[in-house]
Amino acid sequence: MYFVAGTDTDSGKTIVSSALLHLAQEQGIQTLGVKPIASGCQDTPAGLRNSDALSLMAKSSIKLEYDEVNPFSFEPAIAPHIAAKEQGVPLSPEALQQTIDLCLYQDAELCIIEGAGGWRLPLGSGAFLSDVVKAWQLPVILVVGVKLGCLNHAVLTQEAILADGLKIAGWVANQVDSNMSCYQENIESLNELMQGPCLGEIPYLASATAEVAANYLSLSFMKS
């Protein structure tokens, strides 16, 4: 079981998570992707649905009900703890741990839990989503959204993960700025600064799909 974190919102957590699940499925590995918290959901006849969660479900060989994949869903595209407060929904590490049944994940050879926002996603009252990751002692896969400022974001996020006593299973460089200056020099700097293996370098993809992104990734973290 792995937690996928990003250096920021829109760093590429979902495309990387979906691509890793796709790559594993191609190798006959039982997969499951979940997104415990999501905002910016669409109201449908079946209830609120989040595109990130649906993408993970599409690449999961183990099929769960939507509410088991995304138990905390909010329609406004705002910080989840603000949306939860507006709707009177308890959102805390304790609420997540009581709601999420880890037993549902046991049959997965690769289970990916995708975060929301960055590492210190607030849950309110001074708590963070990272508190849950820490309680479960999950190894972390860090997605670095490669753009101007990514070196600072990557190093600070790495420091926070390590300070929480967690292992970085690997990191992925995902180019989100097609016109970034000195791209290769930044990649070289990331290789010097980051701990854990680089699991891949995804170039800027105008139409990113899990199938295409999977060509640039490795499952080497599963063998460590």
Side-chain angles (χ1 to χ4, degrees):
M1 194 180 305
Y2 299 86
F3 184 84
V4 172
T7 48
D8 202 352
T9 300
D10 295 330
S11 59
K13 295 185 298 296
T14 300
I15 191 65
V16 169
S17 297
S18 300
L20 290 173
L21 293 170
H22 174 79
L23 187 59
Q25 264 196 311
E26 290 287 292
Q27 298 182 21
I29 296 170
Q30 286 279 84
T31 59
L32 176 61
V34 295
K35 176 103 175 173
I37 303 175
S39 57
C41 300
Q42 297 296 315
D43 192 9
T44 76
L48 292 177
R49 294 293 183 264
N50 176 261
S51 59
D52 294 350
L54 293 174
S55 178
L56 297 176
M57 292 178 73
K59 295 303 177 181
S60 297
S61 58
I62 295 174
K63 302 302 181 182
L64 300 180
E65 296 296 326
Y66 182 85
D67 289 345
E68 295 171 330
V69 171
N70 176 213
F72 291 89
S73 53
F74 305 99
E75 186 172 359
I78 59 178
H81 75 290
I82 297 175
K85 185 175 181 180
E86 288 181 351
Q87 297 179 28
V89 175
L91 188 62
S92 66
E94 294 76 22
L96 262 73
Q97 290 175 270
Q98 291 169 8
T99 302
I100 297 170
D101 184 0
L102 294 181
C103 293
L104 295 173
Y105 308 165
Q106 290 181 349
D107 291 336
E109 296 171 271
L110 174 60
C111 177
I112 285 180
I113 301 176
E114 183 190 328
W119 180 247
R120 294 291 189 220
L121 180 84
L123 299 182
S125 302
F128 301 92
L129 180 56
S130 55
D131 295 331
V132 179
V133 186
K134 185 177 178 180
W136 287 340
Q137 285 294 292
L138 298 178
V140 178
I141 296 171
L142 179 59
V143 180
V144 179
V146 181
K147 59 182 180 179
L148 183 63
C150 68
L151 301 181
N152 175 62
H153 290 161
V155 171
L156 288 177
T157 304
Q158 175 174 260
E159 288 177 354
I161 293 169
L162 296 176
D164 282 340
L166 298 173
K167 174 186 175 182
I168 296 177
W171 60 278
V172 174
N174 180 47
Q175 185 178 4
V176 296
D177 180 358
S178 61
N179 297 312
M180 182 181 182
S181 299
C182 302
Y183 172 81
Q184 193 55 46
E185 289 85 349
N186 277 270
I187 293 296
E188 291 171 3
S189 294
L190 284 170
N191 278 304
E192 293 174 359
L193 295 167
M194 299 304 292
Q195 296 189 20
C198 178
L199 304 178
E201 179 186 335
I202 302 175
Y204 179 81
L205 301 173
S207 299
T209 66
E211 292 79 4
V212 172
N215 294 320
Y216 300 97
L217 298 178
S218 163
L219 296 176
S220 57
F221 62 94
M222 295 185 67
K223 302 169 186 176
S224 60

